[in-house]
Amino acid sequence: MHLIRRIAIAVTFLLLAAFAFLWWNQPQKADMSAYAPADSLVYLEANSLTNISTAVAGTDAWSKLRPVLQSENGWAGPTLLRLTRWTGMGPIQSVIISRAQIAVVMLNLGASEEGDSLKVRPEAAILIETHTSSRRIRGVIEESLRKLAESAFGAPSFKKVSTNGIEYLFWSSPSGTRQIVATIAGSLVIVGNNEAAVNACLAVRQGNLARLSENPELKKMRGRLGADEALAFGFVSSANTARLATLAAPVLLGRSQTESGFGKIFSAAATKIAGTIGWSAFPANGGIEDRYLISLQPAVVTRLRPAFATKATGDVAFVLPTTPHSVSLYSFADPHIAWLSFESAILSQLDALSAAVFSSLFKSALFPYGIDDPERFLNLVGPRLGTVRLTAISERSVVVSEVRNEAALKQLLSERFPKRTLQTSVAQTSDSESAAAVVGGRLYLGSPADVETCVRQLTSGEARSIASDERVFRSSTAPIATYADDSERVRGFVAAIIRASGKREAGFMSDKIEAVLASLPYAITETNLADEGIERRTRSPLGQFGALSEVLFPAER
């Protein structure tokens, strides 16, 4: 009896010790923004790779692609991963995947001249909190980075350098123009595209540089977008919204306008109009929903309200010649009032000089379409407008609108579109850069080739309403709804998955995969005005994870 009691006590003690060990060993969630510099331009985080993989595995897109790729799930079951995460026992790759929290920080965004073009060169770093000792992770991390460098650079050179007791790993492209730099600080892995990016994050880790986690705007945006429950979260502070505008001005506006001083006005306007920017992602109805919030100054929101007033939707799905690459539908109560509201919202925040420049910019916004008087034009078209990009390589979108006053509109068009193409009755500007046609009570504006395509197919009966294509159209009550073919982003995800498995994508991309991609529904983005600013929600096959996968597993060069 005493022996049985002793055995029971010993077993109980061992169970309690094992439980205590497992409890002590389980990882505690880290605040990844505590590793990011306070002045980071862009911050992204994902606190559970297993949650993301489970969400992606649950999408309709993956359920169709998996048998074609002859893949099982491609990852361990959630129960096994949870056990691995909790205990820290198992293959080290599985331990890292099950425990890892990841953040991406962009520290700077430079633009350099290469011939007649501007090339953007971001300075960025990836932070991986492995919740596992450096002794255990070092070998697998170095091997993974080696494969990444070989995939990105082909035949990179490699070296290890120790500075002040810190070991750095360098992989350089054969040309020496690109790098992967990494260091391991305890359980944290820092990987950057240059040494400065790695050192900045390392300084935060060591407490020598201010951290992003102390920013009160970040905490507010986390709550607003449900970051604690999200698959991923992104943030840009109000100060860096202006910085991004300044750095992006040469790319968005072109060198000539930037050099003429318009870039400074552009960035000054961004400071007075926009605030923080946030993003979060969630699984939703067989796909992924990306939520965005662009906060605006309260006065700007007030002035924008008339612009986002909508009319009863009715039949907003225009008749189009083909299944388009993308369509944006604008259900404004009055396009002219919406235009004036957008203009007023921006001009009200600017000084006299900046307002004059922006007013001129607004008046020229439709000039590429042959319209030099947008207010007069918008008074003649109906409340429902659309922009349609016929193909992925179309020069620009076609503007489609209902016609409110056909006689007055045709008078306007006769002034700006004097040339006629007899075969299709399409009017063109004198320089043949833009064309216009009125067919079936709707106006089509765009490049001559695209407008002629529209008219030819509309008059021949080949066109149909996009509402008849369930793959493209889903009813929406949003003032602005955009439908876009997302197959290219999913194709990139498939290629990245193939590369991640160590195989060559050329041998796997097949007609069967292309057939699956062609069957996927279009992404839909709904844009609304909220109390804080502009809200956008995009429901798509794989969300932004399709694009992010290509960053983590880049194509061979």
Side-chain angles (χ1 to χ4, degrees):
M1 200 64 166
H2 290 294
L3 179 60
I4 295 176
R5 183 179 300 172
R6 289 176 182 173
I7 293 174
I9 292 173
V11 170
T12 302
F13 175 79
L14 289 173
L15 289 175
L16 288 174
F19 180 79
F21 170 79
L22 294 176
W23 180 264
W24 180 262
N25 197 45
Q26 69 171 327
Q28 299 299 312
K29 182 179 177 181
D31 181 354
M32 295 301 292
S33 64
Y35 299 137
D39 61 350
S40 298
L41 275 177
V42 179
Y43 171 77
L44 305 173
E45 70 178 22
N47 288 312
S48 174
L49 296 181
T50 56
N51 286 350
I52 292 175
S53 64
T54 300
V56 170
T59 61
D60 295 337
W62 183 251
S63 68
K64 293 179 179 180
L65 287 166
R66 180 165 52 84
V68 177
L69 290 170
Q70 298 179 341
S71 169
E72 299 300 324
N73 282 339
W75 38 74
T79 301
L80 178 58
L81 285 174
R82 281 196 294 269
L83 183 62
T84 301
R85 178 182 186 278
W86 195 43
T87 64
M89 295 186 292
I92 187 58
Q93 294 93 334
S94 297
V95 173
I96 293 174
I97 289 173
S98 66
R99 291 184 161 194
Q101 294 176 248
I102 293 181
V104 179
V105 291
M106 182 189 296
L107 303 172
N108 205 349
L109 182 64
S112 60
E113 295 184 17
E114 292 193 3
D116 295 329
S117 62
L118 288 168
K119 188 166 185 178
V120 177
R121 296 183 183 277
E123 181 180 294
I126 299 174
L127 308 168
I128 309 171
E129 175 53 81
T130 65
H131 296 285
T132 308
S133 68
S134 59
R135 178 184 56 80
R136 290 191 69 191
I137 66 174
R138 185 173 299 277
V140 70
I141 291 296
E142 289 189 15
E143 178 64 13
S144 297
L145 291 175
R146 181 189 65 79
K147 290 180 179 179
L148 176 63
E150 290 178 352
S151 175
F153 302 154
S157 59
F158 171 72
K159 66 178 180 179
K160 288 184 180 182
V161 177
S162 293
T163 305
N164 298 325
I166 300 170
E167 184 179 73
Y168 295 88
L169 311 175
F170 292 84
W171 287 267
S172 301
S173 65
S175 65
T177 57
R178 293 184 296 152
Q179 280 187 322
I180 294 175
V181 184
T183 190
I184 300 175
S187 60
L188 179 68
V189 180
I190 306 173
V191 184
N193 59 358
N194 61 33
E195 190 174 354
V198 172
N199 282 335
C201 297
L202 187 60
V204 175
R205 170 73 164 75
Q206 295 170 336
N208 298 324
L209 198 63
R211 57 191 61 185
L212 183 62
S213 58
E214 297 167 354
N215 189 323
E217 292 179 336
L218 174 69
K219 298 175 183 178
K220 183 178 180 181
M221 187 62 77
R222 283 188 190 278
R224 182 64 182 78
L225 292 179
D228 289 342
E229 291 77 37
L231 298 172
F233 169 74
F235 173 75
V236 178
S237 69
S238 58
N240 284 325
T241 298
R243 282 184 64 197
L244 280 174
T246 302
L247 294 169
V251 179
L252 297 175
L253 304 174
R255 234 173 351 191
S256 60
Q257 292 189 14
T258 303
E259 291 168 354
S260 67
F262 188 76
K264 294 181 180 179
I265 297 175
F266 184 81
S267 60
T271 302
K272 297 178 180 179
I273 294 167
T276 54
I277 300 173
W279 161 71
S280 59
F282 298 84
N285 301 322
I288 301 294
E289 180 176 278
D290 293 298
R291 303 175 187 174
Y292 306 87
L293 175 62
I294 304 172
S295 64
L296 303 173
Q297 301 298 332
V300 175
V301 173
T302 299
R303 288 180 179 270
L304 281 177
R305 292 201 184 281
F308 282 83
T310 59
K311 192 177 179 67
T313 53
D315 180 20
V316 298
F318 296 121
V319 175
L320 301 171
T322 58
T323 299
H325 179 69
S326 66
V327 181
S328 291
L329 302 178
Y330 304 85
S331 300
F332 296 139
D334 188 317
H336 181 234
I337 291 177
W339 179 273
L340 293 178
S341 297
F342 276 109
E343 184 177 26
S344 172
I346 294 177
L347 299 185
S348 66
Q349 304 300 305
L350 304 179
D351 58 49
L353 176 60
S354 300
V357 174
F358 261 88
S359 180
S360 174
L361 178 67
F362 263 85
K363 291 185 183 300
S364 64
L366 293 179
F367 195 77
Y369 290 93
I371 303 298
D372 57 3
D373 190 346
E375 292 188 27
R376 179 184 173 192
F377 168 74
L378 292 170
N379 267 318
L380 301 176
V381 298
R384 288 183 282 269
L385 301 170
T387 55
V388 184
R389 187 172 291 275
L390 297 184
T391 69
I393 60 173
S394 293
E395 180 184 343
R396 60 180 184 267
S397 296
V398 176
V399 174
V400 185
S401 71
E402 297 173 328
V403 176
R404 179 180 296 171
N405 186 330
E406 187 167 338
L409 179 62
K410 286 184 175 180
Q411 175 61 37
L412 173 63
L413 295 179
S414 68
E415 298 169 7
R416 291 293 302 134
F417 298 82
K419 295 177 64 176
R420 291 277 175 181
T421 303
L422 297 179
Q423 292 85 348
T424 56
S425 299
V426 173
Q428 295 186 21
T429 53
S430 56
D431 58 8
S432 298
E433 291 294 321
S434 301
V438 177
V439 181
R442 288 190 172 92
L443 170 69
Y444 294 81
L445 277 176
S447 70
D450 285 347
V451 172
E452 288 183 7
T453 297
C454 291
V455 172
R456 183 172 58 252
Q457 295 192 18
L458 287 164
T459 54
S460 67
E462 298 177 43
R464 60 176 179 171
S465 169
I466 62 169
S468 64
D469 191 339
E470 294 182 356
R471 174 173 167 255
V472 177
F473 185 78
R474 280 155 283 170
S475 181
S476 171
T477 59
I480 305 173
T482 299
Y483 306 85
D485 185 348
D486 208 39
S487 60
E488 191 60 37
R489 192 159 59 171
V490 179
R491 182 181 291 106
F493 171 81
V494 171
I497 291 297
I498 292 171
R499 290 193 295 270
S501 66
K503 301 170 184 174
R504 298 184 64 85
E505 58 191 271
F508 277 80
M509 300 304 285
S510 64
D511 291 341
K512 290 183 179 180
I513 291 178
E514 294 300 329
V516 171
L517 297 178
S519 71
L520 297 176
Y522 274 37
I524 174 174
T525 299
E526 297 176 301
T527 303
N528 288 280
L529 183 68
D531 291 339
E532 299 91 341
I534 294 176
E535 275 188 341
R536 290 168 62 89
R537 293 197 177 203
T538 299
R539 294 187 298 279
S540 60
L542 294 175
Q544 290 293 350
F545 298 121
L548 292 174
S549 65
E550 294 187 83
V551 175
L552 295 175
F553 302 103
E556 294 182 7
R557 299 179 185 273

